[in-house]
Amino acid sequence: MNGFLQFNNNNLSKEYVAFQIGKNEHLINENKELYYTEREHIFYNRDNEIRNNSEVINNKAMQYLNDIHNYFIKHNTDYKIIISPLYDQVKFNSNDLSKLYHIFGDENIYDFSGINSITSNKYNYYETSHYRETVGDSIIKQIYFE
């Protein structure tokens, strides 16, 4: 995940914890503007140009996804697949999304990628690949309670 995750080397210890939500949430609540100002290099300006991810689900991946789906069916698993809202605002590839719909069903796939109300607000993120707890809560409410 080099280049995608931003780690604070001050957090390193014998037991490495890559990401500490509580600490970051505390820093934001303590001084929101300082938190984001100190991370300006992470929260780059986006140009609102629509960008799509390249297609990545090949035949081998389809086999794995079908195996996962069959496992879900075998064990009567109630599941949802969430495509995360990342800061880069790159939209999940439409062909890959169609493949997921075909295997898992439209009712089980939730795509929050691309440009939307979540990804347009830098204050929704700790860094470019971890969104804040309030965003997670909002996604869960949309999926299960709306």
Side-chain angles (χ1 to χ4, degrees):
M1 296 300 296
N2 190 23
F4 293 98
L5 300 180
Q6 306 295 322
F7 297 113
N8 180 347
N9 289 333
N10 295 331
N11 291 339
L12 297 178
S13 65
K14 282 186 176 183
E15 183 178 325
Y16 179 66
V17 178
F19 197 76
Q20 298 177 0
I21 290 173
K23 179 180 179 185
N24 287 297
E25 194 64 38
H26 172 76
L27 291 171
I28 292 169
N29 289 332
E30 197 172 73
N31 190 333
K32 184 179 189 177
E33 291 306 317
L34 179 63
Y35 181 90
Y36 290 96
T37 300
E38 288 178 343
R39 291 159 181 80
E40 282 178 329
H41 64 287
I42 296 170
F43 295 104
Y44 53 89
N45 288 326
R46 287 127 344 137
D47 57 13
N48 289 324
E49 180 181 324
I50 296 173
R51 285 190 263 308
N52 296 298
N53 227 341
S54 57
E55 191 170 355
V56 295
I57 300 177
N58 59 25
N59 289 336
K60 188 67 172 171
M62 288 290 288
Q63 291 173 356
Y64 290 137
L65 291 168
N66 276 306
D67 288 346
I68 291 168
H69 183 250
N70 290 335
Y71 187 84
F72 287 169
I73 292 170
K74 178 181 177 182
H75 294 283
N76 199 28
T77 304
D78 182 18
Y79 63 91
K80 304 295 180 202
I81 297 172
I82 299 169
I83 301 168
S84 286
L86 299 179
Y87 185 78
D88 67 7
Q89 297 182 318
V90 175
K91 185 74 176 155
F92 193 76
N93 183 275
S94 60
N95 291 331
D96 285 344
L97 188 59
S98 292
K99 292 172 187 176
L100 292 178
Y101 286 148
H102 177 74
I103 295 169
F104 297 101
D106 294 7
E107 70 281 0
N108 292 315
I109 310 287
Y110 296 85
D111 182 9
F112 292 94
S113 68
I115 298 172
N116 57 54
S117 61
I118 297 170
T119 62
S120 296
N121 183 351
K122 74 177 178 183
Y123 300 115
N124 283 333
Y125 295 88
Y126 298 114
E127 38 81 14
T128 58
S129 57
H130 287 98
Y131 46 82
R132 294 181 65 194
E133 290 177 282
T134 55
V135 173
D137 290 345
S138 170
I139 289 171
I140 295 299
K141 283 178 187 168
Q142 286 180 48
I143 291 171
Y144 289 102
F145 303 110
E146 289 183 3

